[in-house]
Amino acid sequence: MLRHALEEQGHTVVEAVDQPSAVQQLQQARPAVVLTDLKLPDGDGFGVLRAAKELDPELPVVVMTAYGSIQDAVTAMKEGAMDFLAKPVDPDHLLLLVERAIAQRRMAIDNVLLKQELAERRGAPRIVGEDPKLRQVSQQLHRAAGTDTTVLLEGESGTGKELFARALHALSSRNDGPFVAINCAAIPETLLETELFGHEKGAFTGAAARKPGRFELAHRGTLFLDEIGDLPLPLQAKILRALEEKRFERVGGTQSLHVDVRIVAATNRGLKAAVAARQFREDLFFRLSVFPIDIPPLRERPGDIATLARHFMDKFSRDMNKKVHFAPAALEELQTYPWPGNVRELQNCIERAVILCDGDTIQPRHLSLTFKVGPGAVAAPVSPWDQIDLSGTLLEATRRVTSEVERRKVEQAMQGAAGNRQRAAEALQISYKALTSKLREFGISEV
Ligand SMILES: Nc1ncnc2c1ncn2[C@@H]1O[C@H](COP(=O)(O)OP(=O)(O)OP(=O)(O)O)[C@@H](O)[C@H]1O
Ligand SMILES: [Mg+2]
């Protein structure tokens, strides 16, 4: 009778006579809905229910019980049945339940798909590379992701600071919230404050409506302050207050707003040096560098070059519908090139090579690297002087450099002494007290 009623509505019915054959049919027929009596000749409906849930937790199961055994129905519901029908079964009621079960299942599947899509979209971006130095950075990133502290990403241009900032957000418990980025170097100083903090209606000529700032937009999420070293001094003070008090006012507003944001800042130049040159507030520097992560330049993690090159080659050849591979000579040239523009330069180089490559092999000539390497040419060594910021007065430039040297030396001594301050102080031939004050000055935490 049940089969008849269901087939009349266009459903396909697969029958099973007892628990073992039901379990077998479940696996073979993969039904959309399971309808089972609780009493069966071999096994029982609970066994069918469990098998169905094991196969697919979203599979709706409707149980049928004899009139009066309501207790069994309750137990079945507790074990995950979607609903129950009292016997004798009313066909209309049955059809209603089956329709509802199918709709519910469709929703559950849509939900899973949507969640997957969302996770992919806002999922952790892939960080490619296996050089021990990069792995160390990844470990730090994971550790930072588990906390809510401010993170400072330091690294040369193109090393992946933004990528790491996004990964940090995706790995953190705030990943349901927004990731909001602002590039402090790209926005004119006059607009930066309203971009960061928003403004009230009528705050200035042209402020026709209230506009929220990035701090507000990032509520419950992560705010990425890119190129923080370029933040003008007056705004540094305002950011500091927003960080310390977690509150701020919109431009032209008097009401103090509270936000819950995690700050990730990035800089490609020595912030410490900018502090020494009095271009960056020391208090803000300390506030930001609670958890500093230093992303080493590509030339210092040669293990990543070939991996990244292959990764980008796969990506671009897929995009361009080509099938190419590297000639050994090309790989070798990539390996010895100093990559002043780091991963971004490598990525651009491979994209160009895949475009230029006419056959299936990328040759050195397709790479068109600026510093030619190979026979007859000498690789241009990267001079440390190219990295040094000589701007400002003589005093400023010297201070910047000496302070950087001091920091590195102190760090090295602390590492050499496995974190033992007394021994590090002896190695440096300075007093214990002087060392302690330097550690504090440079924000070096225990090794
Ligand atoms: N480890 C990596 N794996 C995959 N892609 C990477 C990696 N590192 C960097 N990239 C890619 O290289 C490019 C440059 O990275 P990103 O923009 O994060 O660098 P950046 O440090 O912010 O540079 P800049 O200082 O110039 O702003 C991006 O396209 C990024 O996806
Ligand atoms: Mg960047």
Side-chain angles (χ1 to χ4, degrees), residues 81 123 195 219 280-281 365 397:
E195 276 301 321
H219 185 49
F280 202 87
R281 290 179 68 114
R365 71 188 147 88

Side-chain angles (χ1 to χ4, degrees), residues 7 87 184 273:
E7 281 181 344
K87 290 198 289 190
C184 304

Side-chain angles (χ1 to χ4, degrees), residues 240-259:
L240 179 66
R241 176 169 169 250
L243 289 188
E244 283 186 334
E245 298 173 16
K246 293 197 182 293
R247 59 180 61 250
F248 62 90
E249 290 92 39
R250 297 197 192 101
V251 174
T254 47
Q255 188 200 353
S256 197
L257 302 171
H258 173 86
V259 283

